[in-house]
Amino acid sequence: MTAAETLRALHHGPDLPLILPGPWDAGSAKVFADAGFEALATPSAGIAASLGYEDGSTPADEMFAAVARIVRAVEVPVSADVEAGYGLSAKELVGRLADAGAVGCNLEDSDPVTGVLYEPAAQADRLARVRAEAGEALVINARIDTFLRGVEDPEEAISRGLLYAEAGADCVYPILAPPSSLAEIAGAVGVPVNAVVTPDGPTPRELGALGASRVTFGPGLQRRAMASLAETAARLREESRGRS
C-alpha cells in the first residue's frame, strides 16, 4: 500500500476520528511520529510562525522546503497545508507536493489576502484539475471557508462540500463549523469531514462523536509549545538574575 493509500484508508477507520497532529518543523514531526501517530498534517500558520512570517505570508518555496524537511524526518504519511495554492497551476502544485514528499494537501476556498470566498464552481473545477493531475497519489482535503468568513448557514457549506466531493476531494474541511453542525454536514456531503480543535472547544474524541472523521489542530500545538517555551525562558531569566 502506498503512503497516499494508507492516509486515505485511515480516514475510514477502524479507529475514528483520525487524529492528525500538526508539526511545524522536522523536530516536532519526529516527536509526534515517535509518539505513535499514524499520519501528520502540517499547519500553514504554524510553519509560518516557525519561519518568522505572518500567517498567509510564507513564500511558496519556503513552505514547500519546510514540508520536505518534515517528510524526511518521519516514516508516516504527511499531508501539507498549502493554503490557497500560491497561484500555482494544478500541474505545478501537484508536482511541488510530490517533490516535497507530501501525499495529502489542504486547499482553501477563499482568498488569503482579501478573505473573499471563491466562486464554488470555479473552486470545484480547480479541485478536479488537481485530482486529474495527481490521480490517486494525493489525498485532497478541501477546506470550506464559509464559517470562517462569516457565512453561518450550514447549507452553504454543504452546497460547496457536495461540489468539492464530486470534483474528487477525499475529505472536506468546514473550518470553524459549529460542532453541532458536523454530523449534518457529514451526512449530507458523504465524504469524511475534518474538524479543528480550538482552545475552548470539544476534545478530538468529542469532535469524532459529533461527526468528524478527521481532526486537526491548525497552529494550536505550535502555539502551545511556544507558550511552554516562553514559561521556561522566563524561569531561566529569573534564575539567572538571582545569581547575578
Side-chain angles (χ1 to χ4, degrees), residues 204-224:
R205 287 295 173 193
E206 288 169 342
L207 288 169
L210 288 165
S213 295
R214 162 175 165 155
V215 174
T216 53
F217 298 82
L221 298 176
Q222 186 266 346
R223 290 173 180 171
R224 284 168 60 180

Side-chain angles (χ1 to χ4, degrees), residues 144-156:
I144 300 171
D145 290 358
T146 51
F147 296 103
L148 176 67
R149 304 305 182 190
V151 181
E152 298 179 1
D153 185 357
E155 287 302 321
E156 178 62 23

Side-chain angles (χ1 to χ4, degrees), residues 4-237:
E5 290 170 340
T6 296
L7 179 59
R8 185 173 288 111
L10 288 170
H11 287 71
H12 298 277
D15 185 19
L16 294 178
L18 170 61
I19 298 173
L20 297 174
W24 54 94
D25 60 14
S28 59
K30 193 168 188 313
V31 167
F32 294 133
D34 287 349
F37 288 98
E38 296 179 276
L40 306 174
T42 69
S44 62
I47 289 178
S50 75
L51 296 174
Y53 292 103
E54 295 295 324
D55 185 20
S57 299
T58 309
D61 287 350
E62 293 197 45
M63 182 63 75
F64 285 110
V67 171
R69 290 191 292 271
I70 287 168
V71 171
R72 284 199 302 269
V74 297
E75 296 182 357
V76 299
V78 175
S79 180
D81 182 349
V82 289
E83 303 179 272
Y86 309 110
L88 299 171
S89 69
K91 183 175 183 178
E92 291 170 327
L93 179 62
V94 170
R96 296 293 296 270
L97 286 164
D99 289 345
V103 296
C105 72
N106 280 13
L107 279 172
E108 303 169 4
D109 69 348
S110 66
D111 187 285
V113 176
T114 66
V116 174
L117 287 160
Y118 295 142
E119 200 278 321
Q123 178 69 359
D125 180 66
R126 183 170 186 228
L127 292 168
R129 283 184 272 118
V130 172
R131 171 57 70 213
E133 286 290 342
E136 295 302 306
L138 190 68
V139 177
I140 301 173
N141 187 33
R143 208 175 85 172
I144 300 171
D145 290 358
T146 51
F147 296 103
L148 176 67
R149 304 305 182 190
V151 181
E152 298 179 1
D153 185 357
E155 287 302 321
E156 178 62 23
I158 289 170
S159 175
R160 287 173 178 262
L162 286 167
L163 285 173
Y164 302 165
E166 185 177 357
D170 297 281
C171 184
V172 296
Y173 178 15
I175 186 171
L176 298 184
S180 58
S181 296
L182 293 172
E184 178 186 1
I185 295 169
V189 175
V191 298
V193 168
N194 189 135
V196 64
V197 175
T198 58
D200 300 318
T203 67
R205 287 295 173 193
E206 288 169 342
L207 288 169
L210 288 165
S213 295
R214 162 175 165 155
V215 174
T216 53
F217 298 82
L221 298 176
Q222 186 266 346
R223 290 173 180 171
R224 284 168 60 180
M226 292 303 100
S228 177
L229 183 59
E231 292 177 3
T232 299
R235 184 170 63 252
L236 289 172
R237 181 59 176 152

